[in-house]
């Protein structure tokens, strides 16, 4: 069988995706989004952390429910590589008790919720590459320097 394996085997073409996203799936983190006044409650859910994203992206119906209002338009690159234009609003963003504010893009109705890695890092967190879990970054105290 070993001598004749090539003659009897089938050749199957396969396309392998060697992009970094295929080998390192995007981690998820629990995020709460609300309008800046927090009058209409908040949206709490698991968001994909994306190092390429510049702004939070959510499905338009979810943003409408919590009262986030569009304040401008922005171009963004969709997962399929096309450039889309969408409205954005300003919202409160809370991750593990830490709060910031920023732009939230009104995405398609079936859009997966995305939070930029830069937002996570600005709140003092990072992801452990081994466990793929959110970790708080402990600040390093500066040594007292005498002139």
């Amino acid at each position: 069988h070993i001598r004749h394996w090539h003659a009897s085997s089938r050749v199957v073409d396969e396309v392998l995706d060697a992009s970094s996203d295929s080998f390192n799936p995007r981690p998820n983190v629990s995020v709460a989004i609300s309008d800046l006044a927090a009058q209409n409650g908040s949206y709490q859910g698991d968001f994909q952390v994306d190092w390429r994203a510049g702004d939070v992206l959510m499905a338009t119906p979810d943003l409408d429910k919590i009262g986030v209002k569009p304040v401008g338009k922005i171009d963004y690159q969709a997962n399929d590589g096309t450039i889309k234009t969408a409205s954005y609003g300003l919202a409160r963003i809370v991750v593990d008790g830490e709060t910031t504010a920023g732009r939230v893009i009104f995405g398609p109705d079936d859009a997966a919720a995305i939070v930029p890695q830069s937002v996570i890092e600005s709140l003092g967190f990072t992801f452990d590459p081994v466990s793929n879990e959110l970790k708080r970054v402990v600040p390093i105290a500066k040594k007292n320097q005498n002139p």
Side-chain angles (χ1 to χ4, degrees):
H1 293 293
I2 293 175
R3 283 188 227 159
H4 302 289
W5 70 270
H6 186 61
S8 63
S9 64
R10 289 187 353 203
V11 176
V12 178
D13 287 335
E14 286 190 50
V15 176
L16 299 176
D17 183 359
S19 68
S20 62
D21 287 346
S22 295
F23 293 108
N24 296 320
R26 294 180 188 160
N28 288 330
V29 64
S30 179
V31 177
I33 302 289
S34 63
D35 69 320
L36 292 177
Q39 294 176 341
N40 298 325
S42 66
Y43 173 90
Q44 178 85 32
D46 285 336
F47 284 59
Q48 287 182 345
V49 178
D50 190 337
W51 63 271
R52 297 172 297 183
D55 297 302
V56 172
L57 181 125
M58 287 179 56
T60 296
D62 294 331
L63 288 169
D64 289 341
K65 283 180 197 171
I66 59 173
V68 175
K69 303 289 185 225
V71 296
K73 297 268 188 192
I74 189 169
D75 292 334
Y76 72 96
Q77 185 174 6
N79 285 338
D80 64 4
T82 60
I83 303 297
K84 309 266 185 184
T85 300
S87 296
Y88 71 88
L90 301 175
R92 181 184 319 271
I93 304 163
V94 181
V95 178
D96 201 26
E98 298 294 331
T99 304
T100 190
R103 292 193 301 195
V104 181
I105 298 173
F106 287 75
D109 291 355
D110 61 348
I114 293 174
V115 63
Q117 183 172 335
S118 59
V119 169
I120 301 299
E121 291 171 349
S122 74
L123 291 170
F125 298 101
T126 189
F127 280 92
D128 182 324
V130 176
S131 67
N132 213 22
E133 293 178 355
L134 186 68
K135 301 286 183 185
R136 186 173 296 280
V137 177
V138 179
I140 299 171
K142 291 184 179 181
K143 293 182 179 181
N144 190 6
Q145 297 177 351
N146 293 327

